[in-house]
Amino acid sequence: MRTLPFTGLLTAAALLAASILVAPATHATPSETLSPTGYTSDGSGPTNAEASPSSPGAPDDPEHLPGEAGYGDLVPADLTVPAGSPGADPEATPGPDGRVPHVCAGRKLLHHAHVDAAYVTRVDQTFTVTVVDGRKVIKDPNSVCVRLAPDARSSDSQEVSRMVVPSGGLFDFIGKPGDIVWRAPQEQIDNWRPVWAGIGAFDTAHEVAQPEGILLDEVKLSIANSSGPGAVEVWRTIGTNSLTRGLSSDPSLAPLSLQAGSHGHWNWTFSKAGVYRLDMVASYTSTLSQRAVNSLPSTITWLVGSDDEVGLPAGTTTSLTPIRTTAEQVKEKMIASGELSTEETPAEPEPPFTQAEARKQIEALFGSAAKAPASPSSPSHYVYKGTFKDDVRAGVPIKRVTLDVSANGTSIPGEPILEIPDSLKQTTADGDRWVLPTSSEHGSLGFDFTGMPADLRSEPAVYSVDTFDGPKGGRYIAGTVTDGAMNVTLDTTRDPNRGFTVDAVAVPLAHVFTKPGVYTVGFNIETRDKDGNFSYKSRSAHFVVGDVAISALRAITAENNGEAPSPSPNPADPGADAPPSGGAQPGNPSTPDPADPSTPSRPGDSAIHIITEGHMDQAMSLKDGKAEVFVDDTADPRHPVRRASGTFAYAVPDSTHAKIPAGAKGYSELAAAAPEGVWSLPETQLEGIPWVGFSTQRVDYSQLSSKGVEVAMRNFTGPGRLVTGISSLFDGFTPRLDSTKPDMVLHYLFGSHDHQAFYFTKPGRYSTDFVYTAHLADGSTIEKTLHAIFLVGDEAIKRGVEPDPAPAPDPSPSPSPEPGATLPIDELVAKLNAESHRNWTNPNTGTHRPSQPAPGTSPSPGSPSTGSSSASASTPDSPIGNPNVAGARLGEGAGQTGTPVTGGSTVSGSLLSSNSAAGAGSTSSDSDASGASSADGSQSSGVEGLDFADSSQSGGSTTRALTKPATPTSALLNPERGSASYGSGSDWWQWVLVGICGSGLVGAGAWALLLRRRSSVGK
């Protein structure tokens, strides 16, 4: 630990005095210096009028844009309840009558409204967590309470405030099948019933300026402590059988990673009715010092249940729809229909992995046995080396990322292939693990960033898993190893899924696999050059795990070469005449050769911008009779762009192709139209895929009649059918627009922000007009048209935005075999959610690619190191930051600064802590920002107790037991969460002085407050 210098004592004392005398208690943390941030423009003025520097904040809040507050009731300020009863303020002293103020006395109840129940921002220049009421950022979360009351939807009076835990195991972290829990739903029901609770971080809809100084633009959020009668879980679903966890009252869940500028909606479930107080904590890593900056806890209060169950007088909560179909009745219907079974069924033992299964998996992975890669002739040591090359983008010189792959020091054009035999298998309490150490006689694979010096970069060099495929249920984990402890940087069950380094160093990796079979991992490296220009490069690798898979692939290789297969999976006897490792695969001619200059270039040469990822609102604005339609592109929240009609196209890659499972609710018509599967843009934001919605939040509804704004789809052309819609956890899919049903219209009766799923039945180029009609109060209308293009499938994206010269009358093409076998839609969304397929960017737009790195692990909040510290963990001589960006930089207030940037979840025996890795500032993989931990619900890093030395030398397997990491007693003191601690304990006199000064200042503060109270009483 660091020793607190004497000057630090004086600074701390001064700041403590200032905070006591002038600052609210919830914002007593030292402030951070901020300055305005500029926004890009296209020559016609600010690109986002609501977020431009010329747009002032609210009169009482210069940091946040003005916004209307949502619906809510006010709790009487004099409301008291018996001490110890529901709603009693736990910090109040009972009066003579034994009563204390209600915990929400004098506060507004937020319900039947849009709410961000956890919003990371800055308030009075202080990094903190607060609440958004409607569209208004609340400076003090202690002025409101989030209300989850008994409520129903108006269509059939079915209860929407509680849910029945389904069968199937996916929701086991919430409760047993058939349990009934309170739920604030992810989906919007009847204008936000009972309450539509989201999570955000520096959302562009609220911030006057985006902050600078946040490493990789990533913040982390967690529930540091919770009090209440039950458990709290925050999660979301995509499709019908894919789930990600975000926040939990269980302290072992990793923090939720959020991208600055993001916002999304989640399910909030509470196992019992009552009052919950959630202490929210946020953190980020400073680009200036490479150290963690942590907020102080902000308490956000939820009242869950009826008025009586939360200590409110009957009728306090208003505007509730009477419930005629209760959750209990829904449960009875689910049991009667067979949808719910409350009987626990023992898990079936996993069948043995056979040669036939291995062959089937290989053929499914590569399309056919003929396209499978050839077995390596001998083990190789592979290095993915990142470098820069001079290039030009839009007439401006840039440094573009390049990636060279070498085998045993010789550059190769193809994809590395590594065999991990059963001699490297280790048995754990959670199952078998195959471990390829950082250096092994069986080969190795790591990264080298020595060719990307820090003086050429304005951001860290990031490496990530771009795409992933492998055996069903298989998990891939990689990381650096120090003193026998693995620092997890890549994990395909978590998102973000990345590691990074601030230094120009080599990053050797150990690799862990949880199932036998063949894994294909697409690795990606990316960064920004010193002028802020973003670029990246990707290359794949194959891992053949287990003797059975090795034998199966060797047999296929022999067949493809017309030879007899090698019977032995032992790498010491690999078989004769196998093609050299890492070479171009003869059975897969469609694989691009990165060394071949004739390889087709990525799209982007067209004047039309191809949108490959990020948050896109197809918006209408109407003010003073002037109407516009445009796409509000906030993929890079720091540089929002307003895209005019007809100037953009959405990319819908083959990675989104999926079959619709039989019996999926609401999908029958779409499944009949596309029996081979659909391509889709998701309803919920996923990294690497465009997230498209509709917005009328910029419409002045005071000018409109009760009809509001309507949106219709017109002038549609395309090879197939386009259907948009929304999904519900229990009601399935509801279509909203359909290219074959022009009478379908979206109705927005008030300012709305609505994201839907977009489904396409065939690949190719789609073109359509979204026609917005505003119904004015005088009976007239204003109509505006937004022309949009969708490029569906990799081939369509490659061809670009021009229409096909001679389209077939009714083509029925099958999906490209390149992405591999089509997945059921639930497996697809789980795959996208975990591995986040990344696509290309348009290099000729003159704008930067979004500053969110590839999905993966992310900076941990910082903590004391338990192992040998790395070079990259120390503060660099020249901290990486963009000197050309003038922005609102989040600095480091005293008392908030943590330890230097460290590695990720480190495992050594049963110890799980935050630890730096040799040569890499990589960090733990956490939950999703717009995503979280994967659906498996595992809290384990997956590598506890493993030996990362080359155990195969002894010729036997290693068996070690796993133990669950100890549950931290305080999240603020838990190294995983990041503690802001000073001193080593040796300089005791400093702390004595701090105690004396602190006691004196507290006394002075108390005296000042007493005088202020007497003065106010005298008035």
Side-chain angles (χ1 to χ4, degrees):
M1 291 185 179
R2 296 183 297 119
T3 301
L4 182 67
F6 185 76
T7 53
L9 290 172
L10 298 180
T11 302
L15 289 169
L16 179 60
S19 65
I20 291 175
L21 295 175
V22 303
T26 54
H27 301 132
T29 179
S31 64
E32 299 179 354
T33 303
L34 306 172
S35 60
T37 296
Y39 287 76
T40 60
S41 64
D42 57 7
S44 60
T47 58
N48 186 336
E50 289 190 294
S52 66
S54 60
S55 298
D60 61 339
D61 185 359
E63 295 164 316
H64 301 108
L65 297 169
E68 295 181 358
Y71 181 86
D73 298 302
L74 187 64
V75 178
D78 58 355
L79 177 63
T80 61
V81 295
S85 67
D89 187 343
E91 300 173 0
T93 301
D97 58 356
R99 300 176 70 86
V100 296
H102 191 280
V103 70
C104 294
R107 301 191 193 184
K108 180 182 179 181
L109 300 179
L110 307 183
H111 71 102
H112 192 187
H114 168 273
V115 174
D116 277 350
Y119 183 67
V120 182
T121 185
R122 64 217 147 173
V123 172
D124 297 333
Q125 302 187 46
T126 299
F127 180 57
T128 189
V129 183
T130 185
V131 173
V132 176
D133 173 10
R135 298 184 65 196
K136 179 180 176 61
V137 177
I138 301 300
K139 297 183 70 173
D140 181 8
N142 289 318
S143 65
V144 297
C145 292
V146 185
R147 183 74 176 97
L148 175 52
D151 209 346
R153 60 191 183 196
S154 59
S155 60
D156 57 4
S157 298
Q158 179 173 310
E159 184 174 4
V160 294
S161 47
R162 292 187 299 160
M163 64 170 277
V164 181
V165 178
S167 306
L170 191 65
F171 299 87
D172 287 352
F173 67 99
I174 299 175
K176 299 186 303 296
D179 285 353
I180 296 176
V181 298
W182 290 85
R183 178 177 77 118
Q186 165 187 336
E187 62 268 28
Q188 184 185 144
I189 301 175
D190 279 0
N191 305 341
W192 313 300
R193 290 188 183 276
V195 61
W196 199 32
I199 297 173
F202 299 103
D203 187 355
T204 55
H206 304 310
E207 302 295 320
V208 170
Q210 284 291 307
E212 299 289 344
I214 298 178
L215 189 65
L216 300 179
D217 280 335
E218 181 181 59
V219 298
K220 292 193 174 183
L221 177 70
S222 60
I223 299 176
N225 185 50
S226 67
S227 63
V232 183
E233 296 290 345
V234 184
W235 47 279
R236 68 175 187 176
T237 56
I238 306 174
T240 59
N241 197 32
S242 177
L243 180 147
T244 56
R245 297 178 66 183
L247 300 171
S248 176
S249 55
D250 178 358
S252 66
L253 185 70
L256 173 63
S257 294
L258 303 169
Q259 285 296 126
S262 68
H263 166 267
H265 282 270
W266 299 70
N267 296 286
W268 296 67
T269 51
F270 303 82
S271 61
K272 297 179 180 179
V275 178
Y276 293 79
R277 304 181 74 203
L278 310 179
D279 293 336
M280 298 288 189
V281 177
S283 66
Y284 69 90
T285 301
S286 168
T287 57
L288 291 174
S289 66
Q290 310 301 321
R291 297 179 182 274
V293 178
N294 307 304
S295 74
L296 293 179
S298 294
T299 302
I300 297 172
T301 303
W302 283 73
L303 302 185
V304 179
S306 65
D307 283 346
D308 179 64
E309 289 173 310
V310 296
L312 296 176
T316 300
T317 309
T318 64
S319 186
L320 301 176
T321 301
I323 299 172
R324 292 190 175 89
T325 303
T326 65
E328 286 78 9
Q329 292 171 313
V330 171
K331 176 180 177 180
E332 292 175 1
K333 293 179 181 178
M334 293 172 66
I335 293 175
S337 66
E339 184 180 352
L340 173 68
S341 173
T342 57
E343 296 181 2
E344 296 186 9
T345 56
E348 296 182 2
E350 190 169 328
F353 188 63
T354 63
Q355 287 273 351
E357 287 297 319
R359 187 181 185 97
K360 182 179 178 182
Q361 190 246 327
I362 293 170
E363 291 175 346
L365 182 61
F366 299 102
S368 68
K371 293 183 178 180
S375 296
S377 58
S378 61
S380 296
H381 297 276
Y382 295 99
V383 175
Y384 280 57
K385 185 171 184 178
T387 56
F388 282 120
K389 72 174 182 180
D390 293 327
D391 203 349
V392 176
R393 176 184 293 171
V396 178
I398 68 168
K399 295 286 186 182
R400 186 181 293 278
V401 170
T402 63
L403 178 58
D404 176 74
V405 179
S406 63
N408 301 325
T410 302
S411 180
I412 63 170
E415 300 169 338
I417 305 171
L418 294 99
E419 293 180 338
I420 298 91
D422 284 340
S423 60
L424 294 178
K425 181 171 65 175
Q426 301 182 33
T427 301
T428 74
D430 291 332
D432 292 336
R433 300 288 188 267
W434 286 257
V435 179
L436 181 66
T438 56
S439 180
S440 167
E441 65 172 335
H442 301 282
S444 62
L445 186 150
F447 291 87
D448 182 357
F449 296 102
T450 56
M452 303 177 74
D455 59 355
L456 296 182
R457 293 182 277 114
S458 59
E459 282 189 357
V462 177
Y463 59 96
S464 65
V465 172
D466 184 27
T467 56
F468 168 80
D469 217 333
K472 185 176 181 179
R475 179 180 176 188
Y476 167 68
I477 306 167
T480 55
V481 176
T482 303
D483 296 336
M486 185 179 189
N487 179 69
V488 175
T489 58
L490 304 177
D491 185 342
T492 56
T493 66
R494 297 178 181 176
D495 189 19
N497 185 8
R498 67 180 174 219
F500 69 93
T501 177
V502 297
D503 297 324
V505 294
V507 184
L509 293 178
H511 308 266
V512 179
F513 306 86
T514 62
K515 299 276 187 181
V518 178
Y519 294 71
T520 296
V521 182
F523 294 108
N524 181 84
I525 64 169
E526 60 185 47
T527 191
R528 292 181 184 268
D529 67 15
K530 61 182 178 62
D531 296 319
N533 298 297
F534 178 88
S535 59
Y536 75 106
K537 200 71 174 178
S538 302
R539 294 280 294 273
S540 295
H542 306 292
F543 298 90
V544 190
V545 179
D547 291 351
V548 172
I550 293 172
S551 295
L553 184 59
R554 287 183 180 177
I556 291 174
T557 299
E559 293 170 9
N560 290 339
N561 292 338
E563 302 166 354
S566 169
S568 172
N570 186 347
D573 180 20
D577 302 324
S581 172
Q585 306 307 320
N588 193 6
S590 61
T591 301
D593 184 348
D596 182 359
S598 65
T599 300
S601 61
R602 291 171 175 172
D605 296 332
S606 168
I608 291 181
H609 178 73
I610 299 179
I611 297 171
T612 61
E613 64 180 338
H615 186 181
M616 305 292 145
D617 279 340
Q618 300 184 135
M620 182 182 197
S621 67
L622 175 61
K623 187 174 184 180
D624 299 328
K626 182 182 178 181
E628 294 181 86
V629 289
F630 53 89
V631 167
D632 186 18
D633 178 348
T634 54
D636 183 350
R638 195 166 289 105
H639 302 93
V641 178
R642 182 174 290 192
R643 303 197 182 279
S645 173
T647 65
F648 60 89
Y650 300 110
V652 188
D654 281 335
S655 62
T656 69
H657 186 262
K659 291 181 178 179
I660 298 175
K665 288 184 179 179
Y667 285 96
S668 58
E669 186 175 347
L670 189 58
E676 297 302 317
V678 293
W679 288 256
S680 63
L681 294 179
E683 181 181 349
T684 302
Q685 185 170 13
L686 298 177
E687 188 111 11
I689 307 293
W691 189 36
V692 182
F694 298 92
S695 173
T696 63
Q697 289 179 318
R698 295 172 179 81
V699 172
D700 180 2
Y701 272 79
S702 66
Q703 302 181 39
L704 305 187
S705 71
S706 58
K707 292 183 178 180
V709 177
E710 296 176 342
V711 181
M713 188 158 52
R714 301 283 186 265
N715 303 320
F716 173 84
T717 61
R721 182 174 173 181
L722 166 58
V723 179
T724 79
I726 58 174
S727 60
S728 168
L729 179 62
F730 297 107
D731 295 329
F733 179 69
T734 301
R736 299 291 299 276
L737 292 175
D738 189 330
S739 60
T740 66
K741 300 176 181 179
D743 293 337
M744 296 185 74
V745 176
L746 305 176
H747 299 274
Y748 297 108
L749 305 182
F750 44 83
S752 302
H753 181 204
D754 172 32
H755 282 271
Q756 302 176 26
F758 288 68
Y759 293 105
F760 306 85
T761 59
K762 295 179 181 178
R765 180 185 185 274
Y766 291 70
S767 172
T768 191
D769 290 338
F770 293 107
V771 181
Y772 291 68
T773 302
H775 295 269
L776 301 181
D778 60 7
S780 62
T781 60
I782 295 179
E783 187 173 284
K784 288 289 182 179
T785 298
L786 181 70
H787 182 69
I789 296 172
F790 297 86
L791 304 177
V792 178
D794 291 351
E795 287 300 318
I797 298 171
K798 198 176 299 181
R799 287 195 305 268
V801 298
E802 295 303 321
D804 297 334
D810 185 19
S812 300
S814 60
S816 166
E818 278 300 289
T822 55
L823 300 171
I825 195 165
D826 295 323
E827 291 184 32
L828 168 82
V829 293
K831 176 178 183 292
L832 289 176
N833 208 28
E835 290 86 46
S836 304
H837 181 78
R838 179 173 292 278
N839 298 288
W840 45 79
T841 187
N842 185 339
N844 295 325
T845 60
T847 61
H848 300 324
R849 186 175 173 177
S851 59
Q852 50 195 34
T857 52
S858 48
S860 72
S863 64
S865 172
T866 59
S868 300
S869 61
S870 68
S872 61
S874 60
T875 304
D877 294 333
S878 301
I880 291 181
N882 187 353
N884 299 321
V885 175
R889 181 172 296 278
L890 282 172
E892 302 149 38
Q896 288 184 295
T897 306
T899 56
V901 174
T902 64
S905 298
T906 305
V907 181
S908 177
S910 61
L911 173 66
L912 179 62
S913 64
S914 189
N915 186 32
S916 56
S922 311
T923 57
S924 70
S925 52
D926 296 320
S927 30
D928 160 289
S930 321
S933 300
S934 70
D936 64 8
S938 172
Q939 305 308 310
S940 167
S941 72
V943 296
E944 293 94 331
L946 293 176
D947 184 357
F948 297 101
D950 187 2
S951 60
S952 66
Q953 302 285 351
S954 62
S957 300
T958 302
T959 302
R960 297 179 61 155
L962 293 182
T963 56
K964 184 177 180 180
T967 300
T969 56
S970 170
L972 292 178
L973 300 179
N974 177 15
E976 290 183 75
R977 302 287 175 128
S979 58
S981 53
Y982 288 106
S984 62
S986 57
D987 297 321
W988 56 270
W989 61 273
Q990 296 184 2
W991 295 110
V992 172
L993 182 57
V994 168
I996 295 173
C997 293
S999 299
L1001 289 170
V1002 170
W1007 178 253
L1009 292 174
L1010 178 62
L1011 290 178
R1012 185 179 300 177
R1013 179 173 296 180
R1014 288 181 175 178
S1015 175
S1016 61
V1017 171
K1019 293 179 181 178

